[in-house]
Amino acid sequence: DVQLQASGGGLVQAGGSLRLSCVASGFTFDTYSIGWFRQAPGKEREGVSCISASDGTTWYAESVKGRFTISSDNAEKTVYLRVNNLKPEDTAVYYCAATDNQYGPNNANLMGVLYPYEYLYWGQGTQVTVSS
């Protein structure tokens, strides 16, 4: 059974950092793309970043470029999202998700957006709260 477990969220002051983790199981990890999404109350779920576990291609939303870094430890079947210089507007539940399309980041780079509906498997999310 496919499982994704997001963790690492917390309460931080503006300018602080966290490292979010997504531990995957139940599928051939290195043939998938793993995405990070976030959703704040009253807002649509938005794509933040994604990575191809096959070749390491990445994509970032414009709002987080230069602040967030996605990485994959394929041996541990874990994807990380390092979130630096956090801002209050980063406050949201952060979800990791997986798709069997290894070209997920390539498509996101082409289209300029990461669509939640392209991702089949979802974790329960982890809360990131940034105080000002």
Side-chain angles (χ1 to χ4, degrees):
D1 189 31
V2 173
Q3 293 185 341
L4 297 166
Q5 180 63 55
S7 62
L11 173 63
V12 298
Q13 293 184 325
S17 299
L18 293 167
R19 189 177 74 163
L20 310 183
S21 299
C22 177
V23 179
S25 63
F27 62 97
T28 306
F29 180 83
D30 61 1
T31 67
Y32 280 61
S33 295
I34 308 297
W36 283 97
F37 301 79
R38 66 186 182 187
Q39 188 166 24
K43 298 181 67 176
E44 293 183 348
R45 187 169 298 188
E46 63 175 343
V48 175
S49 184
C50 63
I51 187 168
S52 170
S54 177
D55 65 8
T57 301
T58 61
W59 172 88
Y60 297 93
E62 288 293 331
S63 61
V64 307
K65 284 182 178 178
R67 299 190 298 121
F68 292 10
T69 303
I70 192 169
S71 61
S72 177
D73 184 340
N74 288 16
E76 298 294 332
K77 295 186 176 180
T78 302
V79 168
Y80 301 98
L81 186 69
R82 176 73 177 183
V83 294
N84 293 329
N85 192 24
L86 286 164
K87 305 174 181 180
E89 53 262 43
D90 294 318
T91 295
V93 177
Y94 283 71
Y95 300 89
C96 63
T99 178
D100 60 1
N101 181 2
Q102 64 180 307
Y103 299 111
N106 304 73
N107 294 337
N109 281 315
L110 180 63
M111 300 298 176
V113 65
L114 181 65
Y115 293 109
Y117 61 77
E118 296 181 350
Y119 284 73
L120 180 62
Y121 305 108
W122 291 81
Q124 292 301 306
T126 184
Q127 176 72 48
V128 173
T129 302
V130 184
S131 62
S132 60

